Amino acid sequence: MAKHLALSVAAAVAVSWLAASSAAAAGFYEKFDVVGAGDHVRVVSDDGKTQQVALTLDRSSGSGFTSKDTYLFGEFSVQMKLVGGNSAGTVTSFYLSSGEGDGHDEIDIEFMGNLSGNPYVMNTNVWANGDGKKEHQFYLWFDPTADFHTYKIIWNPQNIIFQVDDVPVRTFKKYDDLAYPQSKPMRLHATLWDGSYWATRHGDVKIDWSGAPFVVSYRGYSANACVNNNPAGGWSSSSCPEGTSAWIHRELDGAELGTVAWAERNYMSYNYCADGWRFPQGFPAECYRK
């Protein structure tokens, strides 16, 4: 939740300023609202074929963008190039959320910065009806600051799948008797913010502001998703695009489950189902199921 609180509350002002500044960027602003200081979000290209956006973090503000549409299930993909050099304390995210209430749903991909030369940590998490603490964290097997890589969330009624460059690294299954995000429409968010108090080595390493501004780039965003089509508010029905069948029943096959096992065996740095200190009364129920 801190990813929301760390940003400036000047979103409405930022949107109007940026929309007026560049007619060529209309495509981006038709799809997204801006969060944080207006001059911290820069549309690098938006020519109808490719779209690239740079987010900036400095002492004054973080930045981000949020989809105007809300979704109930979908396949969400983006290419990202993360902050290079000493990025300790920074957090870059790509996630879905129904809001900030006590009973909210959320599906997270977050990247926690590092001291130069150390690997980035990718944190994945699922919140259902306000219940979170379901993190799997991985060291990436490549340098995510050297080039763009593709990160994807597939969310359907059966499971949630996290992918990196089309490699599945995690699946979170639905069980009928356990909480699962399935009824609350969610917006897509992308943010860059100061997570010094928790992100790098549990908050031991803070941001070195001498390296600011910090910049992360997003491009190639796509959402093949069911959109809330009730403009009056509330969830009444959804509009699912052509191609929904490619993901709406998607579950991992044996070979793909093998890549999940490979990622867990070689790159997993944290598994909530192995954290006895955090769950002294016993692990969450899904930890005991296959």
Side-chain angles (χ1 to χ4, degrees):
M1 297 303 294
K3 64 175 84 60
H4 310 289
L5 302 177
L7 300 174
S8 166
V9 296
V13 175
V15 170
S16 62
W17 182 88
L18 281 161
S21 69
S22 175
F28 175 79
Y29 295 107
E30 288 171 357
K31 298 176 182 177
F32 299 101
D33 289 329
V34 171
V35 181
D39 59 355
H40 286 48
V41 179
R42 181 168 61 93
V43 177
V44 178
S45 64
D46 192 4
D47 60 6
K49 296 180 180 179
T50 60
Q51 191 172 78
Q52 182 171 328
V53 178
L55 301 183
T56 299
L57 167 68
D58 59 22
R59 283 184 179 275
S60 68
S61 179
S63 58
F65 55 90
T66 301
S67 68
K68 294 179 183 292
D69 286 332
T70 57
Y71 306 99
L72 188 65
F73 304 126
E75 182 181 66
F76 306 89
S77 179
V78 73
Q79 296 178 6
M80 298 169 60
K81 185 176 181 181
L82 302 185
V83 175
N86 181 0
S87 57
T90 69
V91 179
T92 303
S93 70
F94 176 65
Y95 68 101
L96 295 153
S97 179
S98 66
E100 298 186 20
D102 291 340
H104 82 292
D105 292 347
E106 189 165 310
I107 304 169
D108 295 330
I109 295 178
E110 298 172 310
F111 300 92
M112 294 178 283
N114 62 88
L115 293 170
S116 297
N118 292 336
Y120 254 87
V121 173
M122 183 181 75
N123 181 51
T124 64
N125 197 9
V126 176
W127 292 73
N129 198 29
D131 179 20
K133 300 181 181 179
K134 303 180 188 300
E135 299 100 331
H136 281 185
Q137 296 178 359
F138 303 86
Y139 293 120
L140 295 173
W141 53 92
F142 52 83
D143 181 357
T145 73
D147 204 349
F148 286 90
H149 290 267
T150 303
Y151 306 94
K152 183 181 291 184
I153 296 169
I154 299 171
W155 168 41
N156 63 33
Q158 294 82 42
N159 59 183
I160 298 163
I161 300 169
F162 298 89
Q163 294 186 181
V164 179
D165 288 335
D166 294 324
V167 175
V169 298
R170 182 184 184 185
T171 180
F172 183 88
K173 294 183 179 180
K174 176 185 179 297
Y175 298 98
D176 290 342
D177 59 332
L178 300 179
Y180 182 82
Q182 61 183 338
S183 61
K184 301 180 183 72
M186 297 200 269
R187 296 187 192 278
L188 188 284
H189 303 262
T191 58
L192 172 61
W193 54 283
D194 177 3
S196 287
Y197 68 96
W198 74 277
T200 305
R201 298 182 186 173
H202 305 288
D204 288 343
V205 185
K206 311 300 183 184
I207 286 182
D208 179 1
W209 291 109
S210 68
F214 303 99
V215 179
V216 62
S217 296
Y218 293 78
R219 75 179 186 190
Y221 166 73
S222 66
N224 185 353
C226 300
V227 179
N228 179 1
N229 62 5
N230 180 9
W235 183 261
S236 62
S237 60
S238 61
S239 176
C240 298
E242 185 177 349
T244 298
S245 58
W247 57 263
I248 194 66
H249 301 296
R250 172 85 190 282
E251 295 183 78
L252 299 184
D253 61 24
E256 291 170 320
L257 289 172
T259 71
V260 171
W262 166 82
E264 291 177 349
R265 184 171 59 251
N266 293 288
Y267 298 103
M268 178 174 277
S269 60
Y270 177 83
N271 178 357
Y272 74 106
C273 287
D275 189 347
W277 180 86
R278 193 177 193 183
F279 300 102
Q281 304 305 316
F283 297 118
E286 68 271 10
C287 295
Y288 299 100
R289 304 188 187 184
K290 298 293 185 181

